[in-house]
Structure formats: C-alpha cells, structure tokens
Amino acid sequence: MSKKVGILGCCLVALWALGSALAQGLVTPEHQGAVVIASQTVRTSIDGSLATTTVEQVFKNLTGSIQEGIYFFPIPADAALSDFVLIVNGQEVAGQVVEAGQARATYEEIVRRIRDPGLLEYVRDGLFQARIFPIMPNSEFPITLRYTQFVPYELGAYRYRYGLAVAAQAGGAIGKLDVRITIDAGQALGAVFSPSYPVTVERGDDGRVTVTYEAENITPERDLSLHYTLQEGQLGASLVAYSPGGEPGYFALLLSPGFAQEAAVLPKNFLFVLDTSGSMDGEKIMQARNALDYVLDTLNPDDTFNVIVFSSDVQTLFRAPQPVTDDTRAAGHRLVSRLVAEGGTNINEALLTALGMTSRLPDVVVFLTDGVPTVGEQDVGRILANIQTANQDEARIFTFGVGYDVNTFLLDELANDSGGLTTYVEPGEDIELAVSDLIKRINNPVLTDLALETAGVEVFDLFPRQVPDLYLGSQLVILGRFEGSGTLQVRITGQRPEGAVNFEYALAVEASSQNSELAYLWAQRKVAVLLDQIRRDGETQEIVDTIVQLGTRFGIVTPYTSFLAIPEGEGGFAEPLAPPDTSTSLGQRGRLSATAPSSRATTGAGAVAQSEELNRLRDADTLGDDERQSVKQAGGRTFVLKDGVWTDTEFTEGTVTVDLEFLSNAYFDFVIANSDAQELVSVGDQVIFLYQGVWYRITPAQA
C-alpha cells in the first residue's frame, strides 16, 4: 500500500545531544532511542467530508541530559497547510511549512543521518517542522498537533488514512496507543471497513459512527486505513480494489444492511442443544445455565424455540417448538434450574432430535458440548452424514466447544456445512459471555439465504464461497480476484419476511496501487479453504503446492511454511493438520515438518488452537498486529530477514539483481522516480525486492 496519499501522519522528532560545542546535527545511530513515544492519543472528527485531527504524543527523554530537537511532520497531500497548530507543554509553538519540492532535501538528510529508509514513503509530501527546546532530562513532554483535511472519495467510498507507520520509523514502539475516529456524514453510513487493524465500530442511534483502536507497546508496520460508505437503500454495496501489476487484481465487496430497526428482524426458530454429561459438572454447568437463561430472556416476540438437553439420553422442553410467551419462557427457566451434569455424551441423537423440529421459519441450532461422542453413534463421519441427511431445511448450526476434550473436526464441519460458526471456550473462559456474544450477533437477521451473481468484469476465487446470512448492525466482506477493469454488475438475492428480494448494482473496477492489504486478506481466506480441504479429504500434491506458494508469498503461517512460524506459545499451527507428503519437490524446499503426527489431531489443546487459527484465516477481514520480528509485509509482498537482508520470499538465490547502494544518489533518484516502489524500498537498509519484473538489491552503504 502507498502511505503517501492522504496520510494523517504521526510526528517525527529528530534529536541530537547538546555536546560541549552545542553543535546541532540530526541524530546519529548511537543517539537513537534517547527519546521514546510514551503514549499517543488520536482524536479525529469527520464532519461531512472534512476531517479535523488532534494528535497528542507524550515523549520521554530517557537520558540524563537536556536534549534539543526538531519536530518533523509529513504533511498529508490533502491537508489544509494553514490550519496546522503545534502545542508543546501547553504553549503554541511557531513552525515552518516546507513545500514538497523543498522538503525532499530535508527528508533525504533525515534518512542519511538516522540510516532508516522508512521515511522514504513520504519523500514526496510536504513537511511541517519546528524547533523543540529544552527537553529536560528523564522527563516527559507532550506535543499536540491539530490540522484539517478533506477525506477523499473514490469509486463510491471514502478513504481515510492515519499514518501510524511514521511512529515506528521515528520513535520505535508506542507505549500506549489510543485512536478514536468519529464520523458524522449527515446521513446513515453503510460499510465501515479497516483492512489494516482490528478496529471496533460502534453505531449510534443518531447515525454517527465511532471507530476505535487501542494497543500497547506497538511498533506499527502499516498505516491505519479506513473505508466507509454512505448507506443507500436497503442493502448498500461498494467495492475496494488493489492491482499489483502483472497479475490479476484483488477486491473487497462490502455489503451493509440499511433496513430500519423496526422492520428489520426476521422471526427465527431457535433450537438450543445443551450437553449435560458428567464432564460438564461444576463451573461449566453453572455457566451453561446462566447462558441459557440469558438466551431465553433475549428471544424476540415472533420467534419460536425449544430446548434439547442430552447426556446418555435426550430430553426436550416441549414436544415441538413453541412461540415465545411469558409462560413458555418460564417453563424454559424452570428446566434450566433443574439441570445436573451426569451420564455420557449422545451427540448424534441430540442433533437429530433438534433437526426433527425445524419449521417454516429460519432455523438456528445452538449446540454446546464439552466432549466427544461416547453414547450411540460415535463415528464422526457417520454422525456428519446423518446430520447432513437430516438437515433438509438448511438450519444454521452454531457450535460451542468447551474445553480441550471436544472433537474439533466434528464441530467445525457441523458449522461450516450449514453456514454457522464455531466458537471455542477454553478452560478458564466464560461460557455465558461466549454464548451471549453470539446471540447478540445473530439475533436479528435481515437477509438469509444470500446468493451472489456477477457479470461485466471477470471475477474468480471469491471467499467465502457460501455467502453467510446478514444481520442487523453487521456487514459482509467478500474477497476475490479480478481481471481487467470496467463496470462490475452485481446481483444479490436473499429472503425477507415478505419473500424473496434481489438487489442490483453497477460497481466501477479500476486499477489502483493502494489497498495492498486486500491481497494478504484474500490469501488468508484461500489458505483456510485449502487447509479445510486437506483436513477433510487428505493431502494432494497440488493443494500442498498451492498452500506453500501462498504461504510463502504472503507470509502466512501454515503447517507447510514453518520458516515463517511465530515463536512457540503465540498461537498458529503447532503441527500439520494431516500427515505430510515428504516428496522430493517439497522436501528440498524445507516446507514440511519432519515430525508430523501419524494421524489427524482432532482433540486436545493443539487441535483447538489449530481450529481457532483456521477460523481466523477463514474470516480474515483485517491484518491485525504481526508479532514476528523476522517477517515484514509491504506492497503485496512478504520479506524474511536472512543474514541481515530483508529478502522477498519468492526470490531465488543466484538470480541476477540490479544493485543500489543504500543512501547513494542513485538510491534516492530511484525512490523519487518510482513512487510506487517506495513502500518496497522502505522495508530496510538492505532489501531484495521485485519491481516491474526486475529484481533489485539494496546493498550496504559504503563508509
């Protein structure tokens, strides 16, 4: 992604020690780290399309001497230069605005002095600078910057970008980060989507939307990117695209419901299937009772419901689902109060009983268990076949696995095959909280049985393959690839209480070098689908090769790309999902683990971790924070640190490269002449990267 467009950047502070001669010069490597960013608070208010941003950073002088500094700020391309206000320790400080042409020399000088190429992405921007003195020893000092800018509107969506990555190049890790963006567009918003960080989106009754992101001890590798649309009609649709050049592009289709609250809710038939076997005794059964009590109290008046409890035998609250009334709720609460944990685990009969109670309404099965089948049919394959045969009304099955003794393959397949979700509640976690969170999410469906048709522009490899139901207050993100450009005709069909509905859109698809996050998100979803296929049917060489290729290029940790693995204990895949094929072609590349289990792991802590990682990849719509210190992602590519060189994972040793000496005139000339390569160059001071079909190598600077 290109971070020079629309940057709402962080500040840069170049510091130098006050020596005996008080000579001023930009920071040298041995002085780096003298001042750190203790905290950063960002408050942005978007009114219509005008954004006012206030950035407060608290810096800390870690040295025992007074420091002097120059405050540098890359000026966003669309910011109002006259509206920059800088406040240091409560006092407004005069600053100087340097136009982009003049600022280039300053940027180059900063890069030469601190020997950090990260700032090269901003070399075409203007510059705001001010002298800061004194910075007292071992003390903190706040700097507040305020400015305004217009949020660009392109292809049906507004695109706001905040330059978090600048902080990493300027001051390293941020101790505490607090970002809050309030949007008042004058009308209801549709989709609000950040592919770069896991933001929280809250929608107010007045139409305003608040987007928040908080983190501690974070070294941002990318800017915070936010896309949002205005709500138009009952179902809003917009498209965000990325074209890396030389290959098909990537896109995200955003769908957001605009149905009014009072008219949005579809009646449902809820079937709650609860495990009361002996292993649920103690805290688990108490939390399960509380969760079921909560669910009963939140049912909508037009819903129907039933409760199925099972251990060795199966018991139902009613012979058939009943309407929600005070009397039926009370009956449900009485059953819950009498629940005890004893007996075995008859999963097959419990689910078949539930599926025998489906109705003309959309059916929702909520299935909670903490074990594996021990009574009745115990073969997982036959259980899945039985459920598939019985589920003729296409009930959505939402599964909860409590603890580590569950069969993750069974729970995941039940949910995936029916369009539901799987949630794992690990030991020590709250069952009631997990269940209530799901019910809040799915309690108000506005469209079910969605189907997607496209024409006009060739699109392929869309994920998810089965479009899920759409719920009030939520949105759908469909990721895919495209060839060419033009107008994409989109038709969405679905079910409402009044019957079948359809929506048609004409969305522009144009080449864009921005939004490279989309490539990583698409790749994560495709890898999840392929790993699911291996989990279900076993390995084939073709599938493994595709996983290796995607994992290598996009830095995705898989059982077959162990060289990209994160440190032990930080999640991810502990072992392959199935026995590996140790063929020569893969073995020579070192992708496969030599210590694979002899059978597929379906129970235990490792199996739960694998399932959770698969679910994360399958639903990926934001990159989040990558804890791997030896892996970086930029411009749709992934780089691994090898012998001090950030190397593109698809580079083959012995390939001819064009060499550019770090900090040389030729180096800076290349950066200025090729703006879309700036993100690749900024990966490090030694980099091997691919640009326009040519491999380049940034070599060490000569003394």
Side-chain angles (χ1 to χ4, degrees):
M1 59 183 170
S2 175
K3 299 174 186 168
K4 79 179 190 64
V5 178
I7 297 168
L8 307 183
C10 309
C11 70
L12 314 178
V13 176
L15 299 168
W16 54 90
L18 289 178
S20 58
L22 297 180
Q24 295 185 359
L26 289 172
V27 64
T28 54
E30 59 267 28
H31 294 128
Q32 285 184 264
V35 172
V36 297
I37 304 173
S39 67
Q40 178 170 313
T41 302
V42 182
R43 295 291 181 265
T44 298
S45 176
I46 302 177
D47 188 359
S49 61
L50 183 66
T52 300
T53 297
T54 301
V55 183
E56 180 180 284
Q57 291 179 291
V58 177
F59 289 86
K60 186 171 184 179
N61 181 359
L62 300 180
T63 73
S65 59
I66 296 175
Q67 300 287 319
E68 178 178 3
I70 297 293
Y71 179 92
F72 292 105
F73 182 88
I75 293 174
D78 43 16
L81 306 188
S82 60
D83 292 338
F84 274 72
V85 176
L86 181 66
I87 299 173
V88 180
N89 284 324
Q91 301 294 318
E92 187 169 331
V93 175
Q96 175 189 7
V97 172
V98 183
E99 298 294 344
Q102 298 174 319
R104 172 186 171 180
T106 304
Y107 278 115
E108 289 188 12
E109 182 64 15
I110 297 172
V111 172
R112 291 182 190 276
R113 294 288 183 170
I114 67 175
R115 305 178 72 84
D116 187 339
L119 301 182
L120 290 174
E121 292 189 52
Y122 308 92
V123 75
R124 291 195 172 196
D125 291 339
L127 185 69
F128 178 86
Q129 64 182 33
R131 178 176 179 269
I132 309 297
F133 178 82
I135 304 172
M136 302 307 293
N138 300 310
S139 64
E140 294 184 347
F141 64 99
I143 291 180
T144 301
L145 180 71
R146 185 171 62 252
Y147 59 94
T148 60
Q149 72 175 123
F150 284 100
V151 181
Y153 180 81
E154 300 173 353
L155 302 179
Y158 289 91
R159 183 172 183 268
Y160 172 91
R161 187 174 289 272
Y162 179 76
L164 272 180
V166 185
Q169 286 120 24
I174 301 172
K176 184 177 182 180
L177 175 65
D178 180 0
V179 179
R180 178 172 299 169
I181 305 164
T182 303
I183 308 171
D184 184 358
Q187 67 180 85
L189 292 186
V192 180
F193 170 58
S194 175
S196 52
Y197 288 94
V199 300
T200 299
V201 178
E202 296 181 3
R203 297 175 184 266
D205 294 335
D206 57 359
R208 296 185 180 183
V209 170
T210 301
V211 180
T212 58
Y213 175 64
E214 297 180 355
E216 294 186 358
N217 299 317
I218 178 177
T219 304
E221 293 289 343
R222 69 187 75 90
D223 293 343
L224 191 155
S225 175
L226 184 68
H227 303 262
Y228 62 92
T229 64
L230 302 179
Q231 187 64 51
E232 297 180 0
Q234 292 183 321
L235 183 66
S238 59
L239 187 141
V240 180
Y242 167 60
S243 302
E247 62 175 292
Y250 303 83
F251 72 89
L253 175 63
L254 312 178
L255 302 176
S256 58
F259 300 95
Q261 174 73 42
E262 62 272 12
V265 178
L266 284 162
K268 302 163 297 300
N269 178 38
F270 270 112
L271 301 166
F272 303 103
V273 185
L274 177 63
D275 183 350
T276 59
S277 61
S279 58
M280 285 286 291
D281 194 27
E283 185 68 20
K284 287 191 284 189
I285 195 66
M286 292 177 60
Q287 289 186 9
R289 286 177 188 159
N290 293 337
L292 194 48
D293 277 332
Y294 169 85
V295 170
L296 291 171
D297 288 336
T298 58
L299 292 172
N300 293 317
D302 294 332
D303 292 339
T304 59
F305 78 101
N306 204 352
V307 179
I308 299 97
V309 295
F310 71 96
S311 52
S312 298
D313 299 314
V314 178
Q315 176 187 356
T316 63
L317 174 60
F318 306 115
R319 289 181 178 272
Q322 296 297 305
V324 176
T325 66
D326 291 342
D327 290 341
T328 57
R329 284 188 207 267
H333 287 306
R334 286 194 296 272
L335 173 65
V336 170
S337 67
R338 298 194 300 266
L339 293 179
V340 294
E342 58 184 9
T345 310
N346 194 342
I347 290 176
N348 185 69
E349 185 179 346
L351 287 173
L352 290 178
T353 300
L355 293 174
M357 297 183 179
T358 54
S359 71
R360 60 180 178 79
L361 299 176
D363 298 295
V364 177
V365 177
V366 178
F367 172 57
L368 187 149
T369 183
D370 76 332
V372 297
T374 61
V375 175
E377 180 60 71
Q378 299 175 43
D379 182 85
V380 169
R382 285 195 287 270
I383 291 175
L384 289 172
N386 292 341
I387 301 308
Q388 188 174 46
T389 300
N391 194 14
Q392 295 301 306
D393 290 329
E394 299 182 345
R396 306 293 190 260
I397 302 176
F398 296 87
T399 62
F400 285 86
V402 180
Y404 293 142
D405 295 328
V406 294
N407 187 302
T408 58
F409 178 70
L410 172 62
L411 297 184
D412 290 345
E413 287 298 293
L414 287 171
N416 293 341
D417 288 348
S418 66
L421 297 169
T422 302
T423 302
Y424 290 98
V425 185
E426 299 191 32
E429 294 183 340
D430 192 328
I431 298 173
E432 181 182 359
L433 180 61
V435 173
S436 63
D437 283 348
L438 175 75
I439 295 302
K440 290 175 185 176
R441 177 177 176 181
I442 69 172
N443 204 27
N444 297 321
V446 292
L447 275 177
T448 61
D449 301 320
L450 273 74
L452 169 68
E453 299 175 12
T454 62
V457 175
E458 182 184 354
V459 297
F460 57 97
D461 269 356
L462 274 63
F463 303 107
R465 289 177 172 171
Q466 178 180 341
V467 183
D469 296 337
L470 187 57
Y471 300 95
L472 188 68
S474 69
Q475 62 190 30
L476 295 181
V477 180
I478 300 172
L479 296 169
R481 305 201 68 179
F482 69 91
E483 284 271 19
S485 61
T487 300
L488 178 66
Q489 303 293 336
V490 176
R491 184 170 185 262
I492 305 288
T493 59
Q495 291 292 326
R496 292 279 299 148
E498 61 270 23
V501 292
N502 73 86
F503 307 90
E504 296 184 359
Y505 311 91
L507 304 175
V509 179
E510 297 182 5
S512 172
S513 60
Q514 301 176 22
N515 311 313
S516 64
E517 302 100 329
L518 299 180
Y520 300 106
L521 297 177
W522 172 86
Q524 288 181 36
R525 290 194 182 184
K526 177 153 188 174
V527 164
V529 169
L530 295 175
L531 289 174
D532 268 337
Q533 191 170 339
I534 285 178
R535 198 182 189 197
R536 183 184 300 111
D537 304 322
E539 289 181 345
T540 68
Q541 192 70 37
E542 181 181 3
I543 294 177
V544 170
D545 285 346
T546 302
I547 292 173
V548 169
Q549 187 271 327
L550 291 171
T552 300
R553 174 173 174 182
F554 294 103
I556 304 170
V557 178
T558 76
Y560 309 101
T561 49
S562 58
F563 71 104
L564 294 167
I566 57 180
E568 185 177 355
E570 295 184 8
F573 293 97
E575 57 189 18
L577 295 169
D581 176 359
T582 53
S583 63
T584 303
S585 62
L586 289 176
Q588 288 178 341
R589 286 184 279 173
R591 305 303 194 218
L592 297 180
S593 168
T595 58
S598 58
S599 62
R600 301 174 187 176
T602 58
T603 61
V608 170
Q610 288 183 356
S611 288
E612 289 180 323
E613 178 66 6
L614 272 177
N615 290 335
R616 185 193 68 79
L617 293 174
R618 187 183 299 111
D619 300 330
D621 59 12
T622 186
L623 289 181
D625 303 322
D626 197 329
E627 298 297 328
R628 295 171 293 172
Q629 299 300 309
S630 61
V631 178
K632 285 187 178 182
Q633 296 172 330
R637 313 290 297 184
T638 299
F639 298 83
V640 176
L641 189 61
K642 293 182 179 180
D643 300 323
V645 181
W646 289 103
T647 305
D648 188 303
T649 52
E650 294 192 310
F651 177 74
T652 302
E653 291 296 336
T655 301
V656 176
T657 61
V658 175
D659 293 353
L660 295 170
E661 181 187 332
F662 182 52
L663 304 181
S664 66
N665 290 334
Y667 172 85
F668 285 109
D669 289 342
F670 176 85
V671 171
I672 295 300
N674 301 283
S675 59
D676 51 348
Q678 289 170 0
E679 187 180 4
L680 300 171
V681 175
S682 67
V683 167
D685 57 2
Q686 294 187 63
V687 191
I688 297 176
F689 64 92
L690 180 67
Y691 178 65
Q692 294 185 351
V694 177
W695 286 100
Y696 290 85
R697 183 191 300 265
I698 306 301
T699 61
Q702 298 299 310

